């Protein structure tokens, strides 16, 4: 029961983290789409490829360690990747800002909107990953709960289960013995009748043989 509850808690925590990961991907992708519309998409794509590759590598590494290798060390993998992601964001932030600057040339509030949006994409993305990192660290006890060592209460529960199994086994043996005894008791009169009939037939055969013998006439 506690293993099933632990697996459910891990699945729920992972689903919430995937939502955060989607947000961390969506922000720079939005900037890439705008840069493509402005004609600077190749430059934006070039600086964002390592960032996207790192996210995919994080998923692959985490799943490999958690599902295939089955080591509790998988909880440390996202921490390292997220910390490195902050370095990547600092690297592509000025380039993506430059790619979005053509939109800031629009007059009035429109240009100001695009200018501040180009400045806020990188900090917003970094803030998302800060939230993901905090969520992951907070969920580490949940992730490792299913691997906890058996305690005193588990040993007592196991002993109670063994006692119950032994009682059920003994009950089954008693029922089998009672059933076998009842069957033997039911067959005893029948066997006695068969034996008596066989003795009678044998006696009659001996008498008939004796009566038909010439020496006894």
């Amino acid at each position: 029961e506690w293993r099933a509850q632990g697996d459910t808690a891990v699945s729920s925590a992972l689903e919430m983290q995937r939502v955060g990961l989607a947000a961390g991907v969506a922000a720079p992708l939005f900037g890439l789409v705008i840069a493509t519309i402005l004609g600077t998409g190749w430059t934006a794509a070039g600086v964002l490829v390592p960032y996207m590759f790192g996210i995919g590598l994080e998923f692959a590494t985490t799943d490999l360690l958690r599902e295939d290798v089955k080591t509790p060390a998988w909880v440390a993998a996202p921490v390292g990747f997220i910390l490195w992601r902050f370095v990547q964001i600092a690297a592509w932030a000025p380039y993506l800002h430059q790619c979005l600057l053509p939109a800031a040339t629009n007059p009035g509030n429109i240009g100001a909107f695009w200018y501040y949006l180009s400045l806020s994409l990188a900090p917003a993305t970094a803030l998302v990953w800060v939230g993901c990192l905090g969520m992951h660290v907070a969920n580490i006890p949940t992730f490792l709960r299913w691997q906890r060592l058996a305690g005193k209460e588990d040993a007592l529960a196991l002993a109670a289960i063994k006692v119950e199994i032994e009682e059920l086994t003994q009950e089954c043996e008693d029922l089998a013995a009672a059933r076998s005894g009842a069957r033997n008791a039911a067959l005893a009169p029948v066997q006695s009748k068969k034996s008596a009939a066989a003795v009678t037939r044998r006696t009659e055969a001996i008498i008939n043989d004796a009566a038909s013998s010439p020496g006894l006439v």
Side-chain angles (χ1 to χ4, degrees), residues 82-133:
I82 293 176
L83 292 177
W84 174 245
R85 199 153 295 133
F86 292 135
V87 178
Q88 290 180 311
I89 293 174
W92 60 251
Y95 295 98
L96 188 61
H97 171 63
Q98 292 295 326
C99 292
L100 298 179
L101 275 183
T105 58
N106 291 303
N109 293 332
I110 297 178
F113 168 78
W114 285 110
Y115 177 78
Y116 288 111
L117 179 65
S118 65
L119 287 177
S120 63
L121 276 179
T125 305
L127 187 61
V128 167
W129 289 115
V130 169
C132 290
L133 179 60

Side-chain angles (χ1 to χ4, degrees), residues 13-177:
L14 289 176
E15 287 298 327
M16 292 196 62
Q17 286 193 204
R18 290 189 181 101
V19 174
L21 290 173
V25 173
L29 279 182
F30 174 75
L32 176 61
V33 171
I34 300 303
T36 303
I37 295 174
L38 296 174
T40 56
W42 286 110
T43 303
V47 298
L48 289 176
V49 164
Y51 173 83
M52 298 299 179
F53 178 78
I55 295 176
L57 186 61
E58 177 186 347
F59 274 112
T61 304
T62 303
D63 288 342
L64 176 66
L65 294 177
R66 184 168 60 89
E67 300 292 342
D68 298 332
V69 181
K70 297 185 182 302
T71 172
W74 73 267
V75 298
V79 176
F81 278 104
I82 293 176
L83 292 177
W84 174 245
R85 199 153 295 133
F86 292 135
V87 178
Q88 290 180 311
I89 293 174
W92 60 251
Y95 295 98
L96 188 61
H97 171 63
Q98 292 295 326
C99 292
L100 298 179
L101 275 183
T105 58
N106 291 303
N109 293 332
I110 297 178
F113 168 78
W114 285 110
Y115 177 78
Y116 288 111
L117 179 65
S118 65
L119 287 177
S120 63
L121 276 179
T125 305
L127 187 61
V128 167
W129 289 115
V130 169
C132 290
L133 179 60
M135 188 185 306
H136 179 76
V137 173
N139 286 328
I140 286 179
T142 301
F143 293 147
L144 299 181
R145 187 171 299 163
W146 65 275
Q147 292 182 334
R148 68 178 178 86
L149 298 177
K152 182 178 179 180
E153 65 278 6
D154 300 314
L156 293 175
L158 181 60
I161 293 174
K162 288 182 178 179
V163 170
E164 185 177 357
I165 291 174
E166 292 175 356
E167 292 177 351
L168 290 174
T169 302
Q170 185 62 40
E171 185 177 353
C172 291
E173 292 177 354
D174 294 341
L175 289 174

